[in-house]
Amino acid sequence: MTRKSFLQRLLALPSAALLIGCARSQSDPVDVPDDIRVHPDIGAFGPLDKSLDAWRAIVSEDAFYILFEEGTEPRYSSPLLEEKRRGTYLCAACRLPLFTSVTKYDSGTGWPSFWAPIEGRLGTKRDTKLAIPRTEYHCTRCGGHQGHVFEDGPDPTGLRYCNNGLALSFVPEDESLPPLRT
Ligand SMILES: [Zn+2]
């Protein structure tokens, strides 16, 4: 499949248009319950200009490798694979909420998987490191690499956000979201 046709298919999906960042949908097709928070400080976030050395001092060595060197964790290594509680998945670097438990599912791949992100929280780019090009996605606030998105996901989007567990932190719905890192 060509890049163009892939992007056209992504853009044809209302819920997927948000991840591209160049299209707007009038209604959010992902029904997030009110008790699952998606941001502690809505409207107050923008691109975060922080040096790699500063991030290196904050996150673990393994997380830094994933987030800022576009690494990939070993399959079946993330405790988040077994996380079944309702709640919010934050970027492990800047703490921007990226996913909710509403869209998490068991893909059987060995990496935490979601069929949609929270609207506007991810950016994408083409990744040609492997023989078959992939679409990389990252936190739109800090640029931290999260994973790759594929077209073999479940309804309603048909997308699979294959995420590194080390790039996320989970906050169950009965706990307060931590403040965004600045
Ligand atoms: Zn981030």
Side-chain angles (χ1 to χ4, degrees), residues 1-179:
M1 181 177 299
T2 66
R3 177 181 183 178
K4 184 177 180 182
S5 65
F6 177 61
L7 287 176
Q8 284 175 333
R9 288 181 60 181
L10 279 174
L11 288 170
L13 297 165
S15 61
L18 54 89
L19 70 97
I20 303 294
C22 59
R24 299 174 71 90
S25 58
Q26 293 302 310
S27 60
D28 184 352
V30 179
D31 184 18
V32 180
D34 290 341
D35 54 347
I36 294 185
R37 291 77 37 89
V38 297
H39 201 279
D41 203 11
I42 193 82
F45 69 92
L48 190 58
D49 185 16
K50 203 176 186 71
S51 72
L52 287 180
D53 283 345
W55 284 122
R56 197 188 301 272
I58 291 172
V59 303
S60 72
E61 187 176 339
D62 288 343
F64 185 88
Y65 167 66
I66 304 296
L67 287 159
F68 298 109
E69 296 179 337
E70 295 197 16
T72 300
E73 69 191 14
R75 298 175 70 181
Y76 297 105
S77 64
S78 175
L80 291 182
L81 286 170
E82 303 303 319
E83 183 56 71
K84 304 284 196 265
R85 292 174 290 173
R86 287 162 48 91
T88 309
Y89 291 84
L90 317 180
C91 170
C94 75
R95 295 177 173 160
L96 181 68
L98 302 179
F99 297 97
T100 74
S101 56
V102 174
T103 64
K104 188 173 188 285
Y105 74 103
D106 182 2
S107 65
T109 60
W111 288 283
S113 301
F114 305 84
W115 48 260
I118 298 171
E119 184 171 1
R121 303 299 167 84
L122 298 179
T124 64
K125 73 172 194 281
R126 199 66 169 162
D127 178 351
T128 57
K129 281 186 287 193
L130 299 183
I132 299 175
R134 301 172 295 172
T135 300
E136 182 272 356
Y137 65 87
H138 49 269
C139 171
T140 193
R141 181 167 180 261
C142 73
H145 169 67
Q146 293 288 324
H148 292 84
V149 57
F150 301 94
E151 297 179 90
D152 55 7
D155 289 339
T157 63
L159 297 174
R160 170 171 59 94
Y161 289 82
C162 185
N163 216 101
N164 290 282
L166 279 167
L168 295 171
S169 62
F170 176 70
V171 180
E173 63 179 333
D174 58 352
E175 294 181 13
S176 299
L177 292 178

